[in-house]
Each structure stands twice: as structure tokens, then as C-alpha cells.
Amino acid sequence: MYKILAVDDRKIFLTELKRLKLWGEKSKFKIVDTASNGKEALELLCRNSYDLVLTDIRMPIVDGLQLLREIQ
């Protein structure tokens, strides 16, 4: 199973994203963690490994573009 970190400052978006039937045994992808901004995502990335990061661009504290630069 491929592990996904989803990052967005809107909780409703994260909730609806997790509800999609796309995730699961058939696709081999699962959202295992979520973060509400880039700073939280970076903290999670330091402690855990993920196969995919889905991020919003406009977020408070650390935006999605800066998050991608830090990940790189």
C-alpha cells in the first residue's frame, strides 16, 4: 500500500478527499496522515515516510510551493 500525506488548510477538503472511493485496495493508495499547513507537513515528513504528498498551494505559515522546495 502506498502512503499519502494530504496537506490543506481547509478541513472540509481533507475530509472529502479521504472519502473518495479512489483510495484503498484497488488503487493501492491510502491517505495515512493529514496536515493543515506546510509546517505541520514538514514535521510529519521528518518523522514518517510517504510515497506521495498532495498539497494545496495557498496555505498559512508555509505555503505549498515552499513545502515542495523544502521537500526537494
Side-chain angles (χ1 to χ4, degrees):
M1 187 74 64
Y2 296 104
K3 299 185 299 183
I4 300 173
L5 170 61
V7 188
D8 198 300
D9 57 324
R10 296 167 293 174
K11 294 238 185 247
I12 188 72
F13 180 79
L14 292 173
T15 300
E16 293 301 318
L17 184 65
K18 288 170 75 174
R19 282 186 182 175
L20 290 175
K21 293 180 181 178
L22 172 69
W23 318 121
E25 286 299 316
K26 198 178 253 188
S27 70
K28 304 289 188 220
F29 285 89
K30 181 177 182 182
I31 297 175
V32 294
D33 280 321
T34 61
S36 61
N37 60 60
K39 183 179 178 192
E40 284 182 22
L42 288 170
E43 291 170 359
L44 286 169
L45 285 161
C46 286
R47 294 191 307 258
N48 306 300
S49 65
Y50 302 94
D51 300 298
L52 178 65
V53 175
L54 297 175
T55 185
D56 186 16
I57 298 297
R58 292 184 181 187
M59 295 182 293
I61 305 171
V62 175
D63 67 24
L65 295 175
Q66 183 62 36
L67 171 61
L68 294 176
R69 285 185 205 105
E70 293 291 327
I71 291 172
Q72 187 181 25

